[in-house]
Amino acid sequence: MPPNMKKISLFYIFLIFLFILSLGFILQSGKNLELEKENFHSSQVLLSKKYLDNTPNESSKINFPRPGFLDLEAIVKIFSGHLKQPISRLLLQLIVIILAARFCGKLATILGQPSVIGEILAGILLGPSLLGLIFPEGFQLLFPKESLSTLQILSQLGLLLFMFVVGMELDLKILRNQAESAIVISHSSIMFPFLLGAGLAYLIYVPLAPEGVDFIAFCLFMGIGMSITAFPVLARIILEKGLTKTTLGSLALTAAAADDVTAWCVLAIVVTIVNAGSFSSGILMIVMSLTYMFVMWKGILPLMKRAGNLYTTKESMTKSITAFFFLFIFISAWITEAIGIHALFGAFLAGVVMPDKKELRNNLVEKIEDFSLTVLLPLFFAFTGLRTKFGLLSSSGLWPVFFLILFVAVLGKLGGSAIASRLSGKSWMDSFSIGILMNTRGLMELIVLNIGYDLGVLSEEIFSMMVLMALTTTVMTGPGLKLIELFFTKRDTIVKPTLNSGILISFAQHTRGLELLKIAYGLFPEKKKERNVTAVHLSPDSNISESHAEKYESLSFTPLKELSKDLNVNLSTIYKTSTNITKDIVRIVNEGNYKLLLIGAARSFFSDDILGGKIRTILNETNCNTGILFSSQLQDIKNIHILFGREKDLELLQIAKRLAANYNSRLSIVDLNGSTNQPQIKQSLKKEKVKILTPVDWKQFDLILCDLDIWENHSEFRVDELPQGGGLLLIRSTDGFIIEA
C-alpha cells in the first residue's frame, strides 16, 4: 500500500471515530438539557399569574418515544409510521403491482396467452378475491381505503394516455380499403351482442341492478358491455400469429377498427344519456358532443396534418413540441369530461386526429407507451381487481348467472361476426376465425365496465361477473383459433409465407444477419443460379404495436435485402412478434423444407457457453443441418482454417472448399491431434493440396470451421477470443451439409 494511502486511511478511520464519539457526547449531554428546559419552562409559568390556571397536568403531556440504541419495538413503530405515509404507501403499491403484472404477464405468454391477460389477472389476484381472502391484514396494509383515490387518479391518467395511443394506432385507411365487408361484420358484431345483452338485462334487472338505477341505463350498459372488441389486444394477437399480411388478418383488423370507432361513439351516447338526467339536457349533451367531434374532424385534423409535415423526425420533436401534444391530449380529454361523455373519449379522439405520419406517431408512441403501459396501466388492472369480488358469486349463488352472461357474450359476438362474414362470401373457417378474434374483449371491456361502475349503473355482482367474462373471452382466442384450424382441413383462404427450400438464417441484430447471409452465399455452388435464402427475425415482445413492428421489420431486413441484390441471392423474409422465440424458430425449421439452418451463437445471461440457452434447445429439437456462427464483426473471408481432429472432419474440408471458391480464400487445416498423419486421412488430404498447420503456428484467420462434436468434447480446442473481423462456424451435419449443385 502506498504511504499516502496509509495516511489517508488512518485519517479516515480517526475522522469516523471522532465523529461518532463527539456526536454521542453531544446527544448524551443534551438529555440533561431536556430536564433543565422543563424546569425553566415551569418556573416561567409560575412567575406569570395569568398562566397559573393553564398549567398543563402531567397526564396531558405528550411523551414522544425516543428509542434507545437497540429498542427494537420503538424502531418498528417508527418505521411502520413511515410506511403509512402516502408517498411511501404509493411507492410500495407501485412496486408490488408492477412486479405482479410483469410476473403474471410473463407467465401468460409462456402459456400462449397475451401478456395483458396475465396483467389483468395480477390485478384481480391483488384484490379481495385472493390477497384479501388469504391475507386480509396484508391487503389492508397495502390497499387501505384512503389510498384508493390516488391509485384511481393515476390509473385514469394511464388510461388517458393508453386511449390516445389506441386512437393514434387506428388506421382509418384500412376502413376505406375493405369498408363494405368490414363495416357489415363490425356492426353485426355490435348489434347482435347488444340486443342479446339488452335481453339479458331484462332478465336480471330486478334481482341484480343497483337500487335507483333506471332500466334504460342498465340495459344500455349491459348491451355495450357485450359489444366491445379489444382492438389493441386483437391487433397484437394477429401480429403474434403472423396474420398481419393475410386476408383474414387484415379483414379482422379492419372490422375491429370499425368496431372500436362505433362502440366508443355508442358508449359516448350511452354515458350522455345516463349523465343527462332529463331529456333536454340529454339532447344538449349529444349536440355538444357531435359539435366537438365535427370541430376535431374539420378544424383540428387539417392543422394536425400541417404539424405532421413539420415535426416528423426525433430531432424536430423538441420538448416544447412534445408538451404541445400532451396538452392537446389533456385539453381534449377535459372538454369531453366537461361535456359529460368521459375524458377517455376525448383522449381517444385526440389520437384519431393525429397526423398520418408514421415517424411522428412512432416518436409519440415511444414517449408515451413504455411508461403508461409498464407503470400506469397495471395500476388500472389493480384498481379493477380491488373492485372485483369473485366471492360474491359463490356467496350469492351467482355462478349460473355468470355462465349465462358468458354464453350470451360468446353467442352474440362470435355468432354475429361469423354469420356476417359468411354472408360476405368468406369461408366457414375464415368466418369462425373472425368471430373468435372479434370475441376478444380484454382491456377495452374493463374500461367500459369501470365507467359503468363509476356511474353507479353496474352493481358489484354484475361488475365482477362481467370482468370474469372479459377475461374468459380473451383467453379463448388463442385456443379457439387452434381448434378451428384442427377442425377445418381446408386452409386455402389463409395466405401464409411461402417457405423456400435452401438455407434459413435466423438473427436478432441485422449486423449478425449480414454475416450469416455472407456465409449462406458462400455455401452455394459457385455457378449455381438459384440461391434461395430465407431470413427470419422475431421480435421478443408480443406487446409492440403494429407500427413499431413495421419499423423493426424494415430495420432488420433492409440491409439484408440490399446485400442480397449485390450477391444475387433470392431472399425471402419472415417476421413476427414472439413470446417464445426458441419455440417459434424450432417450428419454422421443422415445418420448412430447409437444407441448412444458420444461426448466430448467443451466450445466456448466466453462462459463457455460446451454445447455452436458445441454441441448445434449437439443436435438441430440430434435425436439420446447422451452422452456428460466433463472430467478432466478421468482414472479409480471405483466410479459412479448419480445426481437424478426426476422419469425419474431411466433410468440413468440402464445406471450406465451397466457401474458398466463392470468396477466393486461402484454405488451411489446423491439425489438433496429429490425425492428419493417419494413412487414410493423409492420402485424402494429399489430393486436396491443403496447407497443414499445427495449433501453435496458426494465427491469422477470418473464419474457422469446427465440427460441433469436437467443440463440445474437447475444451482444449476451443477459441475463447476471436480477432477483430474473425468468426467461428460450428457445424452439425445430419444428412450432408453441402448444398447440391
Side-chain angles (χ1 to χ4, degrees):
M1 182 182 292
N4 289 340
M5 195 65 186
K6 277 187 177 181
K7 289 181 181 179
I8 293 172
S9 300
L10 289 172
F11 173 74
Y12 182 66
I13 294 170
F14 172 74
L15 185 64
I16 292 175
F17 177 75
L18 182 63
F19 174 80
I20 295 173
L21 190 65
S22 302
L23 185 61
F25 175 76
I26 293 170
L27 292 176
Q28 187 65 35
S29 301
K31 287 186 177 181
N32 299 326
L33 293 177
E34 294 176 5
L35 183 59
E36 290 182 17
K37 182 178 180 181
E38 188 175 341
N39 293 334
F40 175 77
H41 181 69
S42 299
S43 63
Q44 291 295 316
V45 171
L46 289 171
L47 289 174
S48 180
K49 289 184 179 181
K50 65 179 180 179
Y51 294 118
L52 284 175
D53 295 333
N54 297 326
T55 303
N57 296 324
E58 191 69 26
S59 59
S60 66
K61 292 181 182 179
I62 301 174
N63 295 315
F64 294 97
R66 291 181 174 81
F69 187 69
L70 290 175
D71 191 350
L72 295 179
E73 185 178 351
I75 291 173
V76 169
K77 286 183 179 179
I78 289 174
F79 275 102
S80 63
H82 292 167
L83 291 175
K84 291 179 181 178
Q85 295 296 318
I87 185 63
S88 178
R89 197 185 300 277
L90 177 61
L91 291 172
L92 182 61
Q93 289 172 345
L94 284 171
I95 292 168
V96 172
I97 291 169
I98 293 173
L99 283 175
R102 292 295 94 199
F103 175 78
C104 292
K106 184 64 177 177
L107 185 62
T109 58
I110 292 173
L111 297 175
Q113 293 291 338
S115 60
V116 69
I117 290 294
E119 293 173 5
I120 294 172
L121 186 61
I124 293 172
L125 295 179
L126 290 174
S129 298
L130 183 68
L131 182 62
L133 186 66
I134 63 175
F135 189 25
E137 295 83 4
F139 176 73
Q140 290 299 327
L141 177 66
L142 187 60
F143 298 110
K145 287 185 178 180
E146 61 270 17
S147 71
L148 298 186
S149 58
T150 304
L151 204 62
Q152 183 180 19
I153 291 170
L154 288 175
S155 68
Q156 290 297 311
L157 179 60
L159 283 182
L160 284 177
L161 297 175
F162 172 76
M163 289 306 300
F164 171 73
V165 172
V166 170
M168 196 164 50
E169 290 182 347
L170 194 63
D171 189 357
L172 297 179
K173 289 181 180 178
I174 63 175
L175 294 178
R176 303 188 192 104
N177 297 336
Q178 302 190 57
E180 293 181 4
S181 298
I183 290 176
V184 170
I185 294 169
S186 170
H187 289 180
S188 297
S189 74
I190 291 175
M191 288 185 284
F192 271 88
F194 198 105
L195 188 61
L196 290 176
L200 180 64
Y202 182 82
L203 296 176
I204 64 175
Y205 173 72
V206 173
L208 293 175
E211 291 186 14
V213 174
D214 295 335
F215 174 74
I216 293 176
F218 182 73
C219 177
L220 291 176
F221 253 98
M222 287 299 296
I224 196 67
M226 294 291 180
S227 308
I228 290 293
T229 292
F231 175 75
V233 178
L234 182 142
R236 283 162 174 77
I237 291 173
I238 288 175
L239 192 64
E240 187 180 328
K241 298 289 182 183
L243 299 173
T244 307
K245 297 180 181 179
T246 66
T247 305
L248 170 64
S250 59
L251 181 59
L253 276 175
T254 308
D259 190 294
D260 232 22
V261 174
T262 307
W264 277 96
C265 291
V266 173
L267 178 64
I269 295 171
V270 171
V271 172
T272 301
I273 293 171
V274 173
N275 282 332
S278 65
F279 179 77
S280 58
S281 59
I283 294 296
L284 178 62
M285 289 173 68
I286 291 174
V287 170
M288 291 173 67
S289 302
L290 293 175
T291 302
Y292 180 65
M293 292 172 65
F294 179 80
V295 170
M296 289 287 280
W297 195 256
K298 293 296 183 180
I300 303 299
L301 183 59
L303 292 176
M304 284 296 175
K305 285 183 177 179
R306 293 180 63 183
N309 294 328
L310 296 174
Y311 309 109
T312 54
T313 64
K314 281 190 175 182
E315 185 180 7
S316 62
M317 287 288 290
T318 62
K319 289 184 178 180
S320 298
I321 300 301
T322 305
F324 165 77
F325 284 117
F326 274 102
L327 280 172
F328 176 62
I329 299 169
F330 297 141
I331 290 171
S332 179
W334 177 78
I335 290 173
T336 54
E337 181 71 19
I339 291 173
I341 55 173
H342 209 282
L344 295 180
F345 186 75
F348 174 75
L349 199 57
V352 171
V353 300
M354 288 301 291
D356 186 20
K357 299 289 183 181
K358 281 190 176 181
E359 193 169 357
L360 172 65
R361 293 192 173 201
N362 288 340
N363 290 336
L364 283 173
V365 168
E366 285 178 4
K367 291 177 182 294
I368 294 172
E369 202 169 45
D370 284 346
F371 181 72
S372 64
L373 290 184
T374 307
V375 178
L376 297 180
L377 211 54
L379 298 184
F380 171 71
F381 297 138
F383 189 73
T384 302
L386 293 174
R387 290 176 161 182
T388 306
K389 300 176 181 178
F390 291 150
L392 294 174
L393 276 65
S394 299
S395 61
S396 304
L398 293 176
W399 283 108
V401 180
F402 161 70
F403 286 113
L404 177 61
I405 289 174
L406 181 62
F407 174 75
V408 169
V410 174
L411 178 65
K413 201 71 176 175
L414 192 154
S417 303
I419 291 171
S421 300
R422 183 59 179 164
L423 293 176
S424 299
K426 306 301 175 186
S427 66
W428 276 116
M429 179 179 175
D430 276 2
S431 299
F432 279 115
S433 297
I434 290 171
I436 285 287
L437 288 167
M438 295 295 286
N439 193 44
T440 304
R441 287 177 172 85
L443 171 59
M444 305 302 285
E445 176 76 7
L446 298 188
I447 294 173
V448 173
L449 295 179
N450 274 276
I451 291 173
Y453 189 90
D454 289 334
L455 292 173
V457 176
L458 302 179
S459 63
E460 285 187 336
E461 293 85 356
I462 292 291
F463 179 82
S464 299
M465 287 188 285
M466 294 290 281
V467 167
L468 187 56
M469 178 272 290
L471 196 63
T472 306
T473 53
T474 309
V475 169
M476 288 170 56
T477 306
L481 290 173
K482 290 180 181 178
L483 283 174
I484 290 170
E485 283 190 8
L486 290 173
F487 186 78
F488 291 92
T489 55
K490 293 182 179 180
R491 304 186 183 186
D492 52 340
T493 54
I494 297 181
V495 181
K496 292 189 176 181
T498 303
L499 299 179
N500 297 296
S501 60
I503 298 177
L504 174 70
I505 62 174
S506 176
F507 63 95
Q509 298 178 349
H510 74 271
T511 51
R512 180 55 57 87
L514 292 172
E515 295 171 349
L516 293 171
L517 184 57
K518 290 178 183 178
I519 298 292
Y521 165 79
L523 292 174
F524 284 102
E526 190 177 4
K527 296 182 180 180
K528 189 174 179 65
K529 293 182 179 180
E530 289 190 8
R531 303 171 188 245
N532 296 321
V533 176
T534 301
V536 58
H537 175 74
L538 306 177
S539 290
D541 187 357
S542 62
N543 286 324
I544 64 173
S545 62
E546 187 178 355
S547 59
H548 275 82
E550 291 176 358
K551 177 183 176 182
Y552 298 152
E553 183 177 7
S554 176
L555 289 173
S556 300
F557 290 130
T558 299
L560 271 72
K561 289 178 180 178
E562 293 174 355
L563 179 61
S564 67
K565 290 179 182 178
D566 296 337
L567 298 176
N568 195 25
V569 170
N570 299 324
L571 183 69
S572 303
T573 60
I574 298 174
Y575 173 83
K576 67 188 291 287
T577 60
S578 174
T579 56
N580 191 327
I581 289 178
T582 306
K583 182 179 178 182
D584 282 334
I585 291 175
V586 169
R587 180 184 56 78
I588 291 170
V589 172
N590 290 335
E591 290 180 358
N593 183 25
Y594 298 109
K595 177 68 176 177
L596 167 65
L597 167 67
L598 289 177
I599 192 168
R603 288 188 174 98
S604 69
F605 184 78
F606 300 102
S607 171
D608 288 332
D609 183 8
I610 63 173
L611 298 176
K614 297 181 177 67
I615 304 298
R616 180 68 61 191
T617 305
I618 292 170
L619 290 172
N620 291 339
E621 297 186 12
T622 59
N623 189 31
C624 176
N625 298 307
T626 307
I628 304 151
L629 179 65
F630 177 52
S631 72
S632 177
Q633 298 179 0
L634 179 66
Q635 297 170 357
D636 296 328
I637 305 176
K638 297 300 181 185
N639 295 288
I640 301 175
H641 290 343
I642 303 169
L643 299 187
F644 200 96
R646 56 183 178 174
E647 186 176 357
K648 184 185 176 184
D649 291 338
L650 289 171
E651 185 179 338
L652 290 179
L653 180 59
Q654 301 306 314
I655 298 170
K657 284 175 64 179
R658 181 71 60 78
L659 285 164
N662 279 299
Y663 284 109
N664 194 24
S665 308
R666 291 184 294 273
L667 187 59
S668 304
I669 285 178
V670 180
D671 190 356
L672 298 173
N673 52 10
S675 58
T676 57
N677 293 321
Q678 296 177 16
Q680 190 173 354
I681 297 175
K682 191 173 183 179
Q683 186 177 0
S684 299
L685 293 177
K686 190 175 182 181
K687 298 176 183 178
E688 302 293 347
K689 297 181 181 180
V690 181
K691 186 177 181 180
I692 299 176
L693 307 173
T694 65
V696 178
D697 59 10
W698 63 280
K699 295 179 181 179
Q700 297 296 325
F701 66 88
D702 297 311
L703 182 65
I704 295 176
L705 270 63
C706 179
D707 184 85
L708 185 61
D709 290 337
I710 293 289
W711 176 267
E712 292 199 281
N713 297 323
H714 300 277
S715 59
E716 66 272 17
F717 299 152
R718 297 191 181 185
V719 180
D720 294 324
E721 293 184 5
L722 296 174
Q724 190 72 15
L728 167 68
L729 184 64
L730 301 178
I731 302 294
R732 182 186 73 170
S733 177
T734 57
D735 61 354
F737 198 88
I738 290 293
I739 305 293
E740 291 83 1

